[in-house]
């Protein structure tokens, strides 16, 4: 893509975000409007908790992002760690490299392909834009180039958010539950906060729950994570 095409893509993206009122939901929607993808999600790396979904365009994407957050691994995590896009050409055959992620997705009605594009600001790892397609296979170089540009625009939107816009980028409630629950578990068991997240993830896997569901129950005092 040439500079004129990047400029055109930038204008289309910003107009799409503005037309939808700004904020996370608008950014996810803008990704779908300007790129030939079916759905999108934004995940941010949170201290100790790892990659957490902040926005998903639909239930399908939400299911995949929830699986990544619960497993603590997946395409987005690998993309952010490696600093390069990570591709899943087919959900049915290419998730084995992340066993926990594959197990968390077992039984879910997911198909097609996705690619995770990292969002970084110099050495700072922020998160990833996850893009989903119904078609199998690898995205072409034109789509990948456009996706990298969109990820840069999302990064800029996140970094520059202020005032009302910052409220629209506020941490989702599910993520707040996870941090609060980890703090409660750490205090109750007298363990490090990183170990508390690990205990919560272990409970989620054992009981076929998402990390967010476990956290919500802990916060509501309907569940107490027991010591091993």
């Amino acid at each position: 893509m040439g500079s004129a095409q990047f400029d055109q893509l930038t204008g289309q993206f910003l107009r799409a975000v503005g037309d939808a009122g700004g904020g996370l939901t608008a950014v996810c929607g803008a990704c779908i409007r300007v790129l030939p993808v079916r759905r999108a999600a934004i995940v941010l790396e949170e201290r100790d908790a790892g990659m957490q979904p902040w926005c998903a365009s639909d239930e399908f994407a939400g299911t995949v992002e929830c699986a990544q957050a619960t497993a603590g691994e997946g395409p987005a995590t690998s993309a952010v760690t490696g600093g390069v896009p990570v591709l899943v050409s087919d959900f049915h055959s290419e998730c084995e490299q992340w066993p926990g992620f594959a197990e968390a997705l077992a039984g879910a009605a997911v198909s097609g392909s996705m690619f995770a594009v990292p969002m970084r600001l110099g050495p700072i790892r922020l998160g990833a834009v996850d893009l989903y397609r119904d078609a199998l296979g690898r995205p072409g170089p034109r789509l990948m180039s456009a996706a990298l540009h969109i990820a840069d625009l999302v990064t800029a939107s996140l970094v520059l958010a202020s005032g009302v816009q910052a409220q629209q980028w506020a941490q989702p409630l599910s993520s707040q539950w996870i941090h609060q629950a980890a703090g409660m578990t750490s205090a109750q068991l007298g363990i490090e906060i990183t170990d508390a997240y690990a205990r919560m993830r272990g409970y989620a896997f054992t009981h076929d729950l998402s990390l967010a569901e476990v956290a919500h129950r802990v916060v509501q005092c309907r569940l107490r994570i027991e010591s091993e």
Side-chain angles (χ1 to χ4, degrees):
M1 294 180 67
S3 59
Q5 292 171 312
F6 280 125
D7 290 343
Q8 182 181 19
L9 184 60
T10 298
Q12 292 172 341
F13 178 79
L14 295 178
R15 282 193 297 273
V17 172
D19 290 345
L24 278 169
T25 302
V27 169
C28 274
C31 291
I32 299 169
R33 284 184 59 180
V34 304
L35 295 172
V37 297
R38 179 65 179 271
R39 45 186 61 91
I42 297 170
V43 294
L44 299 183
E45 185 171 40
E46 301 183 16
R47 182 176 179 181
D48 297 321
M51 303 296 292
Q52 296 297 324
W54 279 50
C55 180
S57 61
D58 61 13
E59 184 177 355
F60 181 110
T63 296
V64 177
E65 300 307 337
C66 184
Q68 290 199 87
T70 300
E73 64 180 20
T77 299
S78 295
V80 174
T81 300
V84 296
V86 171
L87 315 176
V88 177
S89 298
D90 184 349
F91 276 114
H92 292 306
S93 62
E94 293 193 1
C95 293
E96 291 80 2
Q97 60 184 302
W98 307 286
F101 174 58
E103 183 178 347
L105 272 183
V110 295
S111 60
S113 60
M114 73 167 287
F115 55 108
V117 186
M119 295 190 297
R120 304 184 73 154
L121 190 63
I124 302 174
R125 307 187 310 189
L126 297 177
V129 178
D130 288 350
L131 300 168
Y132 298 77
R133 300 190 303 154
D134 288 335
L136 303 180
R138 302 172 62 89
R142 183 180 178 85
L143 172 54
M144 185 58 71
S145 179
L148 287 165
H149 184 62
I150 291 299
D152 287 341
L153 295 177
V154 176
T155 300
S157 298
L158 173 63
V159 172
L160 298 176
S162 61
V164 174
Q165 187 180 6
Q167 296 175 11
Q168 295 173 321
W169 280 84
Q171 185 181 41
L173 188 58
S174 60
S175 184
Q176 295 177 35
W177 290 335
I178 291 169
H179 291 293
Q180 185 178 351
M184 292 170 63
T185 300
S186 173
Q188 289 165 356
L189 300 183
I191 59 178
E192 296 293 330
I193 192 71
T194 52
D195 294 329
Y197 287 111
R199 293 280 181 88
M200 288 165 54
R201 281 198 168 94
Y203 187 96
F205 264 102
T206 302
H207 294 82
D208 196 25
L209 297 168
S210 71
L211 181 60
E213 288 170 328
V214 169
H216 192 203
R217 295 182 186 187
V218 171
V219 170
Q220 290 188 324
C221 298
R222 294 191 289 121
L223 169 66
R224 179 187 175 106
I225 305 296
E226 300 296 334
S227 59
E228 295 181 343

